[in-house]
Amino acid sequence: MTSSDTATLFDNAADRIADISRADLQVMLRRAALQLRNAAGVSMEDDMEEVLRDLACELGMTRNDTIRFIVREWMETNTYLPVRILDEETEVDGHA
């Protein structure tokens, strides 16, 4: 079942919340929890995982935030995304 199918099920259940059974709601919530657990899974080779963990620790970020950071930087560097312009008043939280 795709995430859009699950979202549709939740929308329909919300529209008729008084009519939905507890068992059906439990099934939908368990499906959603399973999809959320599996949603962030990006697997890498062992050597890349080690470097990624080290970098995440160095940056003080989670693994997934580090992956997002790397991809964003790559996309900006290669002009797939516009570069964010920082002025003197912009907070950078230690990342410039």
Side-chain angles (χ1 to χ4, degrees), residues 74-87:
W74 182 86
M75 287 181 157
E76 287 176 355
T77 300
N78 291 286
T79 66
Y80 293 105
L81 284 176
V83 177
R84 294 169 283 177
I85 305 297
L86 300 176
D87 58 14

Side-chain angles (χ1 to χ4, degrees), residues 52-87:
L52 189 56
R53 274 192 310 273
D54 292 345
L55 182 59
C57 185
E58 184 178 318
L59 295 174
M61 302 168 85
T62 66
R63 176 186 180 277
N64 290 337
D65 288 341
T66 303
I67 291 171
R68 280 190 283 276
F69 175 75
I70 291 168
V71 171
R72 173 170 283 283
E73 290 292 316
W74 182 86
M75 287 181 157
E76 287 176 355
T77 300
N78 291 286
T79 66
Y80 293 105
L81 284 176
V83 177
R84 294 169 283 177
I85 305 297
L86 300 176
D87 58 14

Side-chain angles (χ1 to χ4, degrees), residues 1-86:
M1 177 169 281
T2 66
S3 60
S4 63
D5 293 339
T6 302
T8 301
L9 282 173
F10 277 114
D11 282 338
N12 292 337
D15 291 339
R16 54 184 183 82
I17 193 73
D19 300 331
I20 195 159
S21 72
R22 178 184 168 118
D24 287 343
L25 187 56
Q26 283 177 321
V27 168
M28 289 190 319
L29 289 172
R30 286 191 178 118
R31 281 183 188 161
L34 182 61
Q35 286 182 340
L36 288 172
R37 268 190 225 106
N38 294 331
V42 175
S43 61
M44 308 271 182
E45 290 90 22
D46 290 341
D47 58 341
M48 290 179 64
E49 280 292 344
E50 182 179 348
V51 173
L52 189 56
R53 274 192 310 273
D54 292 345
L55 182 59
C57 185
E58 184 178 318
L59 295 174
M61 302 168 85
T62 66
R63 176 186 180 277
N64 290 337
D65 288 341
T66 303
I67 291 171
R68 280 190 283 276
F69 175 75
I70 291 168
V71 171
R72 173 170 283 283
E73 290 292 316
W74 182 86
M75 287 181 157
E76 287 176 355
T77 300
N78 291 286
T79 66
Y80 293 105
L81 284 176
V83 177
R84 294 169 283 177
I85 305 297
L86 300 176

